Amino acid sequence: MKIKFLIVSGFCSIFFFTSPLFPTVTCYAGSAGVDQDCLQNLFETGPDNLTMGEARRMCAAPEPKQDHERVRESVTLEKSGQGVITERLEVDQSNIRKPFTLMSHRNNYILLGAYNTKGWNAARFAEAYDKEDLEADDLEVEFQLSIKTPLAIDMFDSGIDLFAAYTVRSHWQFYNSDMSSPFRETNHEPEAWLQMQPENLEIFGFTNTVNGVGINHMSNGQGGLLSRSWNRVVGFFSFEKDNLAVMFRPWIRIEESLEDDDNTDITDFYGHGELWLAYTLGEHTFSFMSRNNLESGFSKGAVELGWSFPLFGYPYLKGYIQYFSGYGASLIDYNQYVNQIGIGIQLTDVL
């Protein structure tokens, strides 16, 4: 005759099976793939002749899914009915209270080939480095890395959060072996802002999801003839309707003294704001940016189109195609027309 005893604790679940000749004690960790609620239920309602092996098999928890399986499952889940910005904000909210949190800010990508049909102006570099024969390839690598972190959450119980971010965009003459593949231009963009989420505010059927205002600095870290920089007060107002996201981003330049200003006419080309649209269709995201077109009478503006798409079912990266036409592709080119198309991979999407 077998007598069973079950002891359940936070660390170990133990079955004692005794017999007149061979008493045995077996202990296994509760986290070793066995459902504790199931064991407790068997202890209370199961038959007296149930063996330990039978109980373990009956209460075996399913094997944990691999990381890539969980990611693919989350990607393919049907939409919850919320707007695309709201879903992104919920992801942020699930992370901002974790210490030492870094999150994606803008999209992170690498264009393995970015071709400018107008060519890059090497004259300013030739002058700066005193090399008359200096030339730049029309084809280069471009990448953007953008992260943010919360500095203060729900300040004074007001629902206002304080964030800081850093974005770097580099234009790399990777294929220009004659010049030892230098970085033609790198733009650094630290910023800090206050943001809040309004409640139940709709305009023309679009829900206002998050608004904010902050300080933005943009510089190429150069000196002398190649130095470019400016400071702005930047606001943003985000709206959504189902899979469509809209953001208005106006700014005011903080003026500098003439002797310190490397680009006095920069607002003639960047204007005083930009409009962003993004639309998700399954695992595809389409984005559109318009800057300074109406303000300049369509003479000094810029348009950027983006398309991110799945890569062979792989959940961690997406393919990315970007087209840019206009002024302000980078600080060194702020007053030069650029017509560029690039293809590469995207690490994190805009939504």
Side-chain angles (χ1 to χ4, degrees):
M1 177 180 180
K2 296 182 178 180
I3 303 173
K4 65 177 181 180
F5 299 91
L6 175 65
I7 301 174
V8 180
S9 71
F11 302 97
C12 190
S13 299
I14 304 176
F15 272 105
F16 291 92
F17 287 89
T18 63
S19 72
L21 298 177
F22 302 103
T24 60
V25 177
T26 303
C27 176
Y28 57 94
S31 60
V34 179
D35 189 324
Q36 297 299 292
D37 291 336
C38 175
L39 287 179
Q40 181 66 34
N41 184 62
L42 285 178
F43 171 68
E44 295 175 352
T45 62
D48 292 336
N49 61 350
L50 184 68
T51 67
M52 182 184 70
E54 292 169 342
R56 192 162 49 216
R57 285 191 295 272
M58 292 173 66
C59 294
E63 288 294 322
K65 294 183 179 180
Q66 298 297 317
D67 288 343
H68 69 275
E69 292 176 327
R70 288 197 297 267
V71 172
R72 287 300 302 168
E73 186 177 83
S74 67
V75 168
T76 56
L77 286 176
E78 293 184 0
K79 293 291 184 180
S80 61
Q82 299 178 129
V84 287
I85 299 180
T86 298
E87 291 179 354
R88 173 64 183 270
L89 288 172
E90 288 187 352
V91 172
D92 285 354
Q93 288 295 322
S94 67
N95 288 289
I96 59 177
R97 295 188 183 277
K98 300 176 183 177
F100 314 114
T101 295
L102 291 176
M103 299 176 286
S104 64
H105 180 36
R106 301 173 190 170
N107 57 331
N108 291 269
Y109 63 83
I110 303 173
L111 297 179
L112 301 175
Y115 179 73
N116 179 19
T117 63
K118 305 299 290 185
W120 303 110
N121 182 8
R124 64 196 74 184
F125 297 95
E127 183 180 2
Y129 297 116
D130 195 23
K131 292 184 178 181
E132 295 182 1
D133 60 344
L134 199 62
E135 295 183 359
D137 284 354
D138 298 341
L139 180 67
E140 58 186 11
V141 170
E142 177 185 321
F143 63 84
Q144 176 171 286
L145 300 175
S146 183
I147 57 174
K148 67 182 177 182
T149 188
L151 300 180
I153 303 302
D154 195 17
M155 298 171 60
F156 313 111
D157 295 323
S158 63
I160 297 176
D161 303 329
L162 174 63
F163 279 85
Y166 174 70
T167 302
V168 59
R169 177 184 287 192
S170 285
H171 305 261
W172 185 9
Q173 290 275 295
F174 179 80
Y175 306 104
N176 194 342
S177 57
D178 293 339
M179 291 177 58
S180 299
S181 303
F183 283 87
R184 183 180 60 84
E185 173 78 339
T186 296
N187 292 160
H188 308 272
E189 195 171 350
E191 56 189 320
W193 70 93
L194 296 168
Q195 73 175 40
M196 67 177 300
Q197 300 179 39
E199 295 183 4
N200 304 320
L201 178 58
E202 289 194 8
I203 300 176
F204 302 116
F206 284 81
T207 302
N208 184 204
T209 52
V210 60
N211 304 320
V213 63
I215 300 292
N216 177 290
H217 171 76
M218 194 174 180
S219 170
N220 67 352
Q222 297 277 7
L225 296 174
L226 299 180
S227 177
R228 303 286 186 273
S229 67
W230 64 323
N231 300 302
R232 294 173 287 174
V233 176
V234 180
F236 62 89
F237 306 89
S238 300
F239 300 84
E240 68 180 9
K241 186 174 183 181
D242 300 325
N243 291 356
L244 176 63
V246 181
M247 177 185 286
F248 298 98
R249 195 166 173 256
W251 56 70
I252 299 173
R253 184 184 183 186
I254 301 174
E255 296 294 337
E256 303 176 49
S257 62
L258 289 177
E259 54 198 34
D260 295 329
D261 196 345
D262 303 312
N263 28 250
T264 56
D265 61 344
I266 195 168
T267 53
D268 292 343
F269 297 89
Y270 272 97
H272 293 87
E274 60 190 15
L275 168 67
W276 278 92
L277 304 177
Y279 182 80
T280 61
L281 183 62
E283 295 179 50
H284 299 255
T285 301
F286 304 91
S287 62
F288 167 81
M289 183 277 293
S290 175
R291 181 176 64 223
N292 196 38
N293 287 295
L294 291 175
E295 188 177 345
S296 69
F298 295 93
S299 63
K300 297 177 182 178
V303 170
E304 181 181 295
L305 304 176
W307 171 33
S308 65
F309 49 90
L311 282 178
F312 312 111
Y314 187 66
Y316 300 104
L317 297 174
K318 298 177 77 173
Y320 184 51
I321 295 176
Q322 183 192 86
Y323 172 71
F324 181 93
S325 178
Y327 296 85
S330 68
L331 279 178
I332 201 68
D333 304 311
Y334 80 90
N335 56 1
Q336 176 178 327
Y337 178 72
V338 171
N339 189 58
Q340 173 185 293
I341 186 166
I343 184 168
I345 56 176
Q346 187 157 249
L347 309 177
T348 61
D349 219 327
V350 292
L351 293 173

